[in-house]
């Protein structure tokens, strides 16, 4: 029996409610797939501040360091203690810290519009005839967000009349830097993801204007030679943004540098209709010792304080995040597919949490717990 140690950080708001359902589903796949999970549940976010005085308590960090993967809920409660400095607030002090601490360089955001949920997509049905099933793979540690120099400085303009006409302006500089090494490692993640899907990779760049884009295109093309079974195409970022609205079905994996991926992953996410349907994975390197790729898995949405504690939250994003953990960290592809198939079955049966129910589906509305139960039942 294969054993995996998982740090479980449910967090705030709807975090604990949806996490309960995620763990229920993981427990249900254990015996069927010969897996044994060791769950270590520890506080994070405001729950961490309440329990141990900080958003990422030492014990929580230690559990994460000893784990094979982190299953994360959500953190942040906008109404609580506005005097707490930004750097100590849960979003920065826990989530961003964990991403940096574990060098999670690849962000994966699958966006799928499930059959039966066409009403929740903002596009006309004629635009996505063959469905929407896209994986945005985003580089997380390089590019414009981290390049140096990054500064705001004063500069002075003096007009011809002299010091009377002296005006002071500010100039802000960000620098876009990406290295061969960074492109290579994210490209491998993209091609490997495509191999597990429909074997098409669309690499996004701005090679017609940016030096970064020229290097990106060259390196991705070279890495692509190692994956002859994956069809590679290059697309300019502005065109990718437009095509996502015009014909999203053409995309399988979209491979993007940091800023392009930030923007396109949100644009693509809007196509799935609800944040409650969107899982995500942030991956680090694969351990040479265990063969396990460390990762942090979480719903794309936040703590949804407006619906917290009311059994209204959609747990599917958390459950699908658990499936991603099985696929990308543990290479338990069959168990991951079984969870995804169970979610699809329950949606096809017509069961809906409030966020994905159309007006005519009121009678099929169920709560967070019932949705988890239905998915476990659908696992068989
Ligand atoms: P949010 O994602 O929490 O909520 C936005 C809207 O989506 C709300 O109407 C909410 O009810 C709905 N929603 C989100 N998840 C849902 C689900 N599973 N089921 C049904 N509906 C769902 O964004 P927000 O309101 O801007 O932020 C609330 C808090 O969450 C803030 O403190 C923010 O900083 C934090 N946040 C945390 C994360 C994270 O932990 N990764 C991500 C985003 C926001």
């Amino acid at each position: 029996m294969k054993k995996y140690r998982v740090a479980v950080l449910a967090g705030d708001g709807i975090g604990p409610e949806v996490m309960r359902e995620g763990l229920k589903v993981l427990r249900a796949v254990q015996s069927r797939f010969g897996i044994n999970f060791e769950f270590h549940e520890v506080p994070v976010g405001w729950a961490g501040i309440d329990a141990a005085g900080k958003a990422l308590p030492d014990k929580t960090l230690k559990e994460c360091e000893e784990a094979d993967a982190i299953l994360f809920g959500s953190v942040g409660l906008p109404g609580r203690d506005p005097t707490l400095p930004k750097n100590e607030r849960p979003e920065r002090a826990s989530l961003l810290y964990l991403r940096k601490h574990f060098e999670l360089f690849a962000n994966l955001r699958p966006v799928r519009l499930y059959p039966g949920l066409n009403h929740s997509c903002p596009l006309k049905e004629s635009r996505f005839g063959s469905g929407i099933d896209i994986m945005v793979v985003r580089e997380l540690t390089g590019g414009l967000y981290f390049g140096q120099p990054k500064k705001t400085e004063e500069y002075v303009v003096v007009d011809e009349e002299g010091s009377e006409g002296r005006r002071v302006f500010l100039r802000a500089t960000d620098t876009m830097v990406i290295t061969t090494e960074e492109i290579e490692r994210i490209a491998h993640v993209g091609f490997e993801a495509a191999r597990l899907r429909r074997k098409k990779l669309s690499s996004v760049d701005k090679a017609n204007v940016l030096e970064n884009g020229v290097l990106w295109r060259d390196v991705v093309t070279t890495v692509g030679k190692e994956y002859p079974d994956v069809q590679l195409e290059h697309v300019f970022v502005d065109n990718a943004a437009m095509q996502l609205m015009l014909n999203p079905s053409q995309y399988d994996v979209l491979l993007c540098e940091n800023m392009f991926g930030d923007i396109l992953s949100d644009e693509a996410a809007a196509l799935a209709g609800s944040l409650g349907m969107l899982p995500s994975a942030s991956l680090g390197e694969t351990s040479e010792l265990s063969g396990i790729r460390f990762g942090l898995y979480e719903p794309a949405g936040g703590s949804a304080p407006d619906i917290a504690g009311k059994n209204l939250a959609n747990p599917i994003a958390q459950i699908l995040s658990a499936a991603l953990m099985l696929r990308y960290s543990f290479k338990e592809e069959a168990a991951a597919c079984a969870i995804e198939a169970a979610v699809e079955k329950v949606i096809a049966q017509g069961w809906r949490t409030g966020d994905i129910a159309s007006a005519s589906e009121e009678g099929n509305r169920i709560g967070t717990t019932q949705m988890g139960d239905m998915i476990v039942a659908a696992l068989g």
Side-chain angles (χ1 to χ4, degrees):
M1 180 151 309
K2 287 158 287 178
K3 217 171 174 175
Y4 303 115
R5 186 178 172 123
V6 181
V8 177
L9 281 61
D12 306 317
I14 61 167
E17 295 169 63
V18 292
M19 185 63 83
R20 209 172 301 130
E21 304 313 309
L23 297 184
K24 198 190 266 180
V25 170
L26 282 174
R27 287 194 177 102
V29 293
Q30 281 190 119
S31 56
R32 188 167 145 199
F33 292 95
I35 304 170
N36 184 239
F37 295 112
E38 209 181 274
F39 295 127
H40 292 255
E41 297 190 47
V42 276
V44 71
W46 287 103
I49 293 173
D50 291 339
K54 54 183 184 174
L56 187 67
D58 298 346
K59 179 174 171 348
T60 300
L61 182 59
K62 189 161 177 289
E63 285 294 355
C64 293
E65 283 169 345
E66 287 171 5
D68 297 316
I70 302 172
L71 194 57
F72 198 93
S74 51
V75 291
L77 294 171
R80 263 195 73 169
D81 191 4
T83 63
L84 191 70
K86 259 191 179 159
N87 283 344
E88 292 172 35
R89 299 192 77 77
E91 293 86 337
R92 273 198 197 190
S94 62
L95 197 52
L96 293 190
Y97 183 91
L98 285 171
R99 283 187 188 150
K100 210 168 168 191
H101 184 76
F102 290 106
E103 289 181 54
L104 304 176
F105 66 89
N107 184 238
L108 275 59
R109 296 251 304 253
V111 174
R112 179 157 183 225
L113 183 65
Y114 281 81
L117 295 185
N118 286 2
H119 63 270
S120 64
C121 179
L123 297 186
K124 282 193 283 201
E125 278 195 42
S126 57
R127 294 246 180 254
F128 56 88
S130 51
I132 299 173
D133 187 359
I134 302 168
M135 165 79 84
V136 181
V137 175
R138 168 186 169 196
E139 204 286 324
L140 263 191
T141 56
L144 197 60
Y145 293 175
F146 296 101
Q148 293 297 333
K150 187 184 245 326
K151 59 186 175 185
T152 302
E153 63 202 327
E154 282 186 355
Y155 73 104
V156 176
V157 173
V158 184
D159 60 28
E160 282 178 7
E161 279 81 49
S163 58
E164 288 296 307
R166 185 179 182 276
R167 285 177 296 164
V168 177
F169 292 92
L170 291 177
R171 171 170 44 212
T173 304
D174 294 283
T175 309
M176 193 168 184
V177 184
I178 188 113
T179 63
T180 305
E181 209 184 356
E182 284 168 330
I183 304 169
E184 277 171 355
R185 65 178 185 174
I186 193 72
H188 281 292
V189 172
F191 282 106
E192 280 160 22
R195 259 193 180 157
L196 291 172
R197 295 168 50 91
R198 300 192 305 282
K199 299 188 173 51
K200 181 177 173 194
L201 184 133
S202 307
S203 173
V204 176
D205 63 45
K206 191 71 183 163
N208 49 346
V209 178
L210 301 175
E211 288 299 309
N212 276 257
V214 175
L215 182 64
W216 179 276
R217 196 170 276 220
D218 280 355
V219 176
V220 172
T221 304
T222 305
V223 173
K225 297 201 169 92
E226 294 176 44
Y227 301 84
D229 51 326
V230 177
Q231 181 199 338
L232 168 65
E233 68 172 11
H234 299 280
V235 50
F236 293 134
V237 62
D238 41 348
N239 188 26
M242 188 172 71
Q243 294 301 325
L244 272 175
M245 294 297 104
L246 295 179
N247 178 14
S249 313
Q250 69 185 290
Y251 291 129
D252 177 13
V253 173
L254 275 174
L255 177 68
C256 311
E257 73 81 45
N258 202 345
M259 182 178 65
F260 297 162
D262 190 8
I263 298 167
L264 291 186
S265 62
D266 271 20
E267 187 190 354
L271 301 175
S274 170
L275 280 171
M277 295 297 295
L278 291 166
S280 82
S282 299
L283 307 180
E285 298 286 1
T286 302
S287 153
E288 282 181 18
L289 211 68
S290 66
I292 290 175
R293 186 190 275 282
F294 191 84
L296 183 151
Y297 300 85
E298 57 171 335
S303 61
D306 52 333
I307 54 168
K310 298 178 181 161
N311 198 34
L312 289 176
N314 185 346
I316 291 179
Q318 188 76 63
I319 291 167
L320 293 175
S321 299
L324 292 182
M325 176 178 79
L326 286 167
R327 172 170 297 127
Y328 290 105
S329 277
F330 305 151
K331 309 276 182 286
E332 297 285 355
E333 182 62 21
C337 287
I339 292 177
E340 289 163 351
V343 169
E344 185 166 348
K345 190 171 168 191
V346 171
I347 301 275
Q349 287 166 345
W351 300 111
R352 307 278 185 264
T353 43
D355 58 313
I356 53 172
S358 68
S360 63
E361 290 171 328
E362 281 300 311
N364 293 357
R365 264 202 201 211
I366 52 175
T368 312
T369 321
Q370 293 83 352
M371 182 57 94
D373 290 342
M374 291 288 182
I375 292 168
V376 167
L379 277 166

